[in-house]
C-alpha cells in the first residue's frame, strides 16, 4: 500500500531546497550565492543539453541532476574545509538514502541506483 503521507513529507522536504544557499561561494566573497533549488534547476538544464549533444541517456542524466543534492537538505552544504573534520560525502549519502526511503520502494531503488 502506498504511504502518501511519506511521499508528501518527501515533497515538502524538497521544497526546503529554496531556503539553503551554497556556502562555499561565500568563502570567495559571493554575497548572495545560489540556493540548492537554483543550482539543481541550472544543473538539470545543462545536463539535458550536454546529454543531447553527446547522445547519451538523457533520462538518466536528468535524474542525476534533479536528485544529486537532496542529501544536502538534511546535512547542509559542506565545504572542503568541513570535510577535514567529518566525511561529508558519507553523511550526504546517508541523508539522501533516508530521504528517498520515504518514497515507494520501486521509486527509491531507481534513485539510489
Amino acid at each position: 500500500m502506498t504511504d502518501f503521507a511519506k511521499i508528501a513529507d518527501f515533497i515538502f522536504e524538497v521544497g526546503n531546497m529554496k531556503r539553503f544557499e551554497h556556502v562555499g561561494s561565500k568563502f570567495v566573497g559571493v554575497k548572495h550565492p545560489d540556493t540548492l533549488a537554483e543550482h539543481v534547476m541550472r544543473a538539470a538544464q545543462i545536463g539535458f543539453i550536454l546529454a543531447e549533444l553527446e547522445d547519451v541517456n538523457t533520462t538518466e542524466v536528468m535524474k542525476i541532476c534533479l536528485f544529486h543534492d537532496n542529501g544536502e537538505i538534511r546535512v547542509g552544504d559542506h565545504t572542503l574545509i568541513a570535510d577535514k573534520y567529518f566525511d561529508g560525502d558519507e553523511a550526504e549519502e546517508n541523508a539522501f538514502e533516508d530521504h528517498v526511503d520515504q518514497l515507494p520502494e520501486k521509486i527509491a531503488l531507481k534513485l539510489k541506483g
Side-chain angles (χ1 to χ4, degrees):
M1 183 169 170
T2 303
D3 189 340
F4 290 105
K6 285 186 176 182
I7 295 170
D9 288 344
F10 176 90
I11 294 168
F12 175 80
E13 202 168 346
V14 168
N16 286 323
M17 293 183 98
K18 65 184 176 196
R19 295 188 175 108
F20 291 100
E21 294 178 336
H22 276 128
V23 297
S25 305
K26 291 184 177 186
F27 282 103
V28 294
V30 176
K31 292 182 181 179
H32 303 289
D34 60 346
T35 66
L36 293 179
E38 292 166 328
H39 166 70
V40 166
M41 185 276 304
R42 186 173 186 223
Q45 291 187 23
I46 292 168
F48 174 81
I49 292 166
L50 293 176
E52 287 293 316
L53 288 172
E54 294 297 318
D55 198 29
V56 297
N57 186 331
T58 306
T59 302
E60 188 66 21
V61 171
M62 295 295 295
K63 180 180 78 170
I64 292 167
C65 290
L66 288 171
F67 291 95
H68 77 280
D69 275 341
N70 278 40
E72 290 185 25
I73 299 168
R74 293 183 173 199
V75 299
D77 183 23
H78 56 276
T79 65
L80 293 175
I81 295 170
D83 280 345
K84 287 178 61 173
Y85 304 102
F86 75 100
D87 189 339
D89 291 335
E90 182 180 347
E92 189 174 331
E93 181 64 30
N94 291 338
F96 176 81
E97 290 196 12
D98 283 347
H99 186 220
V100 300
D101 280 343
Q102 294 174 276
L103 298 171
E105 185 177 12
K106 72 178 187 175
I107 298 171
L109 290 174
K110 287 181 179 182
L111 296 176
K112 291 178 184 182

